[in-house]
Amino acid sequence: MAEPAIPLFLDCDPGIDDAIAIAYLLCQPDVEIVGIAASGGNVSTEQVVRNTLGWLALAERADLPVYRGAVHPLAQTAAAAREEAEAATAAGSADPEYAEVTHGDTGSGYATLPDPTCSTRDLSAAQAWVDAARAHPGELIGVMIGPATNLALALEIAPELPRLLKRLFVMGGAFNYRGNTHPTTEWNVSYDPEAAARVFAAFGGAYIADEALFPPVIGPIEATEMVEMTPERLSRIVDGAHSAPAPWPALLHEIGEALRFYFEFHEEDGHGYLAHIHDPYVAATAVHWARNAAASVPPIRGAGAPRDPAEVQAESRGTATPGRIPWAETVFAPIDVELTGTLTRGETIADWLGRWNRPANAEIIRRVDAAHFLDHLTDTLMEGPQYDRTR
């Protein structure tokens, strides 16, 4: 008898590495993508929606439900955004701060995407998070590889969300590490710090309160930057997929065009002609953790089971025994987001020494076995998905 499918909700902002993450998930036969939230971050929400629908059209997966996400960060209301835009227009610059320099004006580098073959669903991304969690209580895997805005808004609708998800996996943050946005901040958190703070507090708080079996998993850039795509590996993937059924070779060709822009950006940024592909790593860890959890991974502790003082102290100092996150070394620690610093707003902070005297609210990926993961990613993308032509 086949194992039941893993229900997974993806919140993303494509974005070049987001596109690779989507491609990876499409290759997982036991994963049911129950929803994709698409909202601003790397580029505007409208462009992110077009990109998401375009990549799915290219993959012939227009059947997957896509939900339009938030247009503005939590701290920026629509009215305030209009005022800022008017002021910026008067000053000669009306564009908000997105990551076009990293992902290109369209968010897809040099890729050429087809026109969407479907539209977004009527629900908001926030409501879609809630409906997915309620439809799959205790089973849904949440993967958030863009800003946290949609999930923070979903928590306003349904504060019980942390108790409904099986586990949340987040790509974001920089702990005691140089940032990729401002000197100490990572893009996804920096784009909407209030949203990230609310999500970390809610999901981590449920774990602390014995209402959730597992804390959220955070993949910060000091770990995900270890995952480096090179032109040589990309060529191996694209060339090796020629025998895969259509339309997969065409999709990989456009991913290659997107990555060519990404390589150029990283070279200009001083990293060499390569690309840090953060998002597919976090998506893959979520899938493999969920797959292993269904078979053999026990809860870190039982919901409702109190921890002894030694366990709380170990977690509060980042020294507790880590969980079984694939291709990773992890630690537990209390984390939070700086919201008021004039130089550090959006910085993620981990209390490694227990100075806050708080229990841990997250499991943080500290190191990645990048070589083995990249080999897995290469094999996966070369093989491609098994297309159901009856869909």
Side-chain angles (χ1 to χ4, degrees):
M1 180 181 295
E3 293 290 337
I6 299 167
L8 183 145
F9 192 96
L10 178 68
D11 202 320
C12 58
D13 61 335
I16 294 168
D17 55 333
D18 302 74
I20 304 171
I22 291 172
Y24 176 86
L25 292 175
L26 295 179
C27 295
Q28 308 306 309
D30 59 345
V31 171
E32 179 188 2
I33 303 174
V34 298
I36 301 176
S39 62
N42 286 320
V43 285
S44 70
T45 296
E46 287 302 314
Q47 187 63 53
V48 163
V49 168
R50 285 195 292 271
N51 292 347
T52 304
L53 295 175
W55 286 113
L56 292 178
L58 191 56
E60 296 185 0
R61 289 305 308 271
D63 58 296
L64 294 175
V66 177
Y67 302 93
R68 187 181 306 274
V71 175
H72 307 293
L74 294 186
Q76 185 183 16
T77 66
R82 286 193 296 270
E83 292 175 2
E84 287 186 11
E86 291 169 0
T89 301
S93 175
D95 293 332
E97 183 181 6
Y98 295 118
E100 296 99 328
V101 67
T102 305
H103 296 269
D105 289 343
T106 67
S108 299
Y110 297 125
T112 301
L113 299 182
D115 291 333
T117 56
C118 63
S119 301
T120 56
R121 304 296 173 93
D122 291 336
L123 289 179
S124 69
Q127 187 63 55
W129 263 110
V130 173
D131 289 0
R134 288 174 174 168
H136 303 278
E139 297 298 327
L140 184 67
I141 299 296
V143 178
M144 189 172 71
I145 55 177
T149 315
N150 298 318
L151 188 49
L153 292 171
L155 286 166
E156 294 182 3
I157 301 170
E160 72 274 16
L161 272 181
R163 301 192 296 274
L164 294 177
L165 266 65
K166 188 178 188 73
R167 200 164 196 188
L168 176 66
F169 290 76
V170 177
M171 190 280 120
F175 297 93
N176 303 110
Y177 192 71
R178 57 159 178 75
N180 64 356
T181 304
H182 300 299
T184 63
T185 64
E186 176 276 331
W187 177 260
N188 286 341
V189 175
S190 183
Y191 181 84
D192 195 345
E194 281 77 12
R198 290 187 194 180
V199 167
F200 295 162
F203 281 83
Y207 172 72
I208 291 169
D210 302 321
E211 297 172 347
L213 297 178
F214 305 99
V217 175
I218 313 297
I221 58 171
E222 63 267 26
T224 58
E225 281 189 353
M226 298 177 186
V227 184
E228 296 180 346
M229 177 65 71
T230 63
E232 294 76 19
R233 186 176 291 274
L234 174 61
S235 295
R236 179 179 159 196
I237 292 170
V238 174
D239 294 343
H242 283 162
S243 60
W248 198 247
L251 181 139
L252 289 183
H253 171 77
E254 296 305 333
I255 283 180
E257 289 298 286
L259 277 166
R260 186 161 58 87
F261 184 96
Y262 219 25
F263 293 152
E264 292 174 1
F265 161 75
H266 282 81
E267 184 175 45
E268 292 175 1
D269 211 34
H271 299 287
Y273 197 73
L274 50 79
H276 299 142
I277 51 171
H278 315 271
D279 294 342
Y281 170 74
V282 173
T285 62
V287 169
H288 281 256
W289 180 87
R291 193 174 287 148
N292 293 335
S296 62
V297 176
I300 292 173
R301 56 185 172 79
R307 291 165 291 168
D308 61 45
E311 181 183 359
V312 173
Q313 184 181 56
E315 287 187 355
S316 71
R317 295 182 178 179
T319 57
T321 302
R324 301 176 185 177
I325 304 302
W327 308 290
E329 295 176 9
T330 68
V331 295
F332 291 122
I335 68 169
D336 211 332
V337 181
E338 175 60 55
L339 300 179
T340 60
T342 57
L343 298 177
T344 58
R345 173 172 157 78
E347 182 178 351
T348 47
I349 311 297
D351 180 16
W352 306 118
L353 300 177
R355 299 293 191 248
W356 292 338
N357 196 30
R358 302 180 196 169
N361 60 349
E363 184 171 1
I364 307 170
I365 297 172
R366 298 297 286 162
R367 293 190 58 80
V368 171
D369 184 351
H372 283 93
F373 169 69
L374 284 164
D375 286 344
H376 166 72
L377 179 68
T378 298
D379 293 343
T380 300
L381 294 181
M382 285 172 57
E383 182 178 351
Q386 299 300 309
Y387 279 95
D388 179 3
R389 295 303 179 183
T390 66
R391 184 180 288 113

